[in-house]
């Protein structure tokens, strides 16, 4: 495990490597960024560097500490993840017991807390006491999608490091270097929002199933059979809320691309380049005005369902509206 494994985030890596080289690492760091952006990998690399026994390049990957860490057997490292939907106070109590022990292999100890924003209030208050009086040589690395749910007192005791999405071109190049086809890599890079983890998920078998379902919806709405509306609403309503929102998110991207195509704007900005010919054909029924209106309607439905609206009614209303817009385009 070394820093060369990481794609992008050069500014963050530079800061962390400088901390390691100087030996001046804050006792608590908070990594913030979207899921799949790479912050967990950076946290693991930093933990390996903190535990590494080499005097220069950290982590070196071949000292006793690095080998133990890479095999998940380093006694001076612990990982805290949500137990179910949240991180509970019993997990922080166990962390306190771990923190009270002296290092046995490395010069210090490290704890990574994944999805830290999902700590219960009791767990967060218990962790705060640890952060206020950290054990000597102990480093906490909190990893979170957003800082908003965390206690202000916890935030004030952490050095915050923000992770930004990777530029699509850099991400696509990295995916091609991993053996993926160029067109597929570009599509995944754009649809992932610059997140390596998300892009790899999209490139997995059936990774684009939700996108293809959204594309099928546009195909069905462009036809004459109104029964499709009820069939599509029923199919979508059978999904979990998170899955419904994922499909609608892809529908948003598709209508965005149709706006670009119908208005003859810069096609270099397309996300779904692999579906471009089909989307061009749909613009006969979905010219620029209708595609823009559809874009707004999908956004409104995403907000409604995210706000706990009745998903079946919201989906039916959306599909009826989209069908009406398609008819106007024709």
């Amino acid at each position: 495990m070394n820093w060369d494994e990481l794609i992008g985030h050069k500014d963050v890596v530079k800061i962390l490597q400088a901390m390691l080289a100087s030996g001046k690492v804050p006792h608590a760091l908070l990594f913030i960024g979207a899921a799949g952006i790479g912050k967990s990998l950076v946290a693991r690399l930093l933990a390996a560097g903190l535990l590494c026994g080499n005097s220069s390049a950290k982590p070196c990957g071949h000292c006793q500490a690095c080998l133990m860490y890479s095999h998940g057997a380093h006694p001076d490292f612990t990982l805290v993840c949500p137990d179910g939907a949240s991180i509970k106070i019993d997990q922080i109590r166990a962390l306190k017991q771990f923190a009270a022990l002296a290092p046995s292999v490395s010069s210090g100890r490290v704890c990574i807390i994944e999805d830290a924003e999902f700590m219960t209030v009791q767990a967060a208050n218990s962790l705060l006491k640890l952060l206020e009086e950290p054990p000597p040589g102990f480093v906490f690395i909190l990893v979170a999608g957003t800082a908003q749910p965390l206690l202000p007192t916890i935030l004030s005791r952490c050095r915050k490091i923000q992770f930004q999405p990777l530029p699509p071109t850099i991400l696509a190049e990295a995916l091609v270097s991993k053996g993926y086809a160029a067109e597929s890599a570009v599509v995944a890079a754009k649809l992932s929002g610059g997140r390596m983890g998300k892009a790899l998920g999209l490139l997995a078998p059936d990774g684009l199933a939700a996108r293809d379902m959204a594309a099928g919806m546009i195909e069905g709405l462009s036809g004459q059979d109104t029964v499709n509306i009820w069939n599509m609403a029923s199919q979508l309503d059978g999904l979990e809320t998170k899955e419904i929102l994922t499909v609608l998110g892809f529908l948003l991207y598709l209508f965005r691309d149709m706006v670009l195509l119908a208005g003859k704007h810069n096609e270099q900005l397309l996300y779904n380049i692999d579906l471009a010919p089909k989307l061009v054909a749909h613009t006969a029924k979905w010219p620029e005005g209708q595609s823009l209106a559809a874009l707004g309607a999908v956004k409104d439905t995403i907000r409604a369902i995210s706000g706990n609206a009745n998903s079946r009614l919201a989906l039916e209303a959306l599909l009826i509206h989209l069908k009406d817009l398609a008819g106007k385009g024709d």
Side-chain angles (χ1 to χ4, degrees):
M1 176 174 280
N2 58 68
W3 296 104
D4 293 337
E5 296 179 21
L6 195 63
I7 305 298
H9 306 304
K10 291 182 180 178
D11 291 341
V12 169
V13 170
K14 187 176 180 180
I15 291 170
L16 297 178
Q17 287 180 324
M19 288 180 181
L20 286 172
S22 66
K24 297 178 180 179
V25 180
H27 77 279
L29 297 112
L30 172 61
F31 291 177
I32 307 169
I37 207 166
K39 58 188 185 296
S40 293
L41 175 57
V42 175
R44 293 196 296 273
L45 284 166
L46 177 60
L50 288 165
L51 297 170
C52 177
N54 198 343
S55 59
S56 54
K58 295 175 178 284
C60 67
H62 53 74
C63 70
Q64 180 190 15
C66 284
L67 293 174
M68 293 176 75
Y69 181 80
S70 65
H71 288 92
H74 200 299
D76 297 326
F77 172 78
T78 189
L79 174 67
V80 177
C81 296
D83 179 11
S86 63
I87 295 174
K88 300 172 174 59
I89 189 169
D90 287 345
Q91 293 174 271
I92 304 302
R93 286 172 178 158
L95 173 58
K96 284 184 173 180
Q97 294 176 352
F98 174 82
L101 301 173
S104 57
V105 174
S106 299
S107 58
R109 314 196 92 196
V110 183
C111 170
I112 294 177
I113 302 178
E114 287 278 4
D115 298 319
E117 70 269 39
F118 294 115
M119 279 188 287
T120 64
V121 174
Q122 295 84 355
N125 283 323
S126 183
L127 176 65
L128 179 60
K129 295 177 182 178
L130 263 180
L131 297 180
E132 288 174 336
E133 299 178 9
F138 201 104
V139 175
F140 299 88
I141 307 173
L142 283 67
V143 181
T146 174
Q148 189 173 0
L150 293 169
L151 295 177
T153 44
I154 287 181
L155 294 176
S156 67
R157 285 163 175 79
C158 295
R159 165 74 184 272
K160 292 179 280 293
I161 295 180
Q162 184 76 45
F163 285 73
Q164 302 297 335
L166 297 175
T169 51
I170 292 177
L171 181 50
E173 288 173 3
L175 293 170
V176 170
S177 70
K178 290 178 179 289
Y180 294 102
E183 185 180 70
S184 300
V186 171
V187 172
K190 291 186 174 184
L191 290 176
S192 69
R195 296 172 288 169
M196 174 62 82
K198 177 69 173 177
L200 291 172
L202 292 172
L203 289 167
D206 297 325
L208 287 172
R211 194 281 303 263
D212 294 341
M213 179 183 289
M217 290 170 62
I218 294 177
E219 186 81 36
L221 289 166
S222 298
Q224 299 297 321
D225 191 356
T226 55
V227 176
N228 284 335
I229 290 176
W230 316 114
N231 291 337
M232 284 187 279
S234 179
Q235 184 182 14
L236 284 169
D237 193 46
L239 303 175
E240 298 289 334
T241 300
K242 183 177 180 181
E243 295 172 319
I244 294 173
L245 293 173
T246 298
V247 174
L248 293 180
F250 282 119
L251 190 61
L252 207 59
Y253 285 137
L254 289 165
F255 277 121
R256 170 198 173 278
D257 285 353
M258 286 167 62
V259 170
L260 293 172
L261 292 167
K264 301 189 185 304
H265 301 292
N266 187 355
E267 294 189 13
Q268 296 297 319
L269 299 175
L270 292 178
Y271 283 1
N272 300 277
I273 59 173
D274 56 328
L275 298 183
K278 289 184 178 180
L279 297 180
V280 168
H282 289 320
T283 57
K285 284 183 174 288
W286 302 86
E288 189 173 8
Q290 271 77 0
S291 292
L292 278 169
L295 202 63
V298 176
K299 285 183 179 179
D300 290 342
T301 304
I302 290 173
R303 281 194 290 267
I305 294 177
S306 298
N308 295 320
N310 184 301
S311 59
R312 180 59 184 258
L313 293 178
L315 290 168
E316 288 180 355
L318 170 65
L319 293 170
I320 290 170
H321 183 48
L322 294 180
K323 182 71 175 176
D324 184 51
L325 287 172
K328 290 178 181 177
D330 193 31

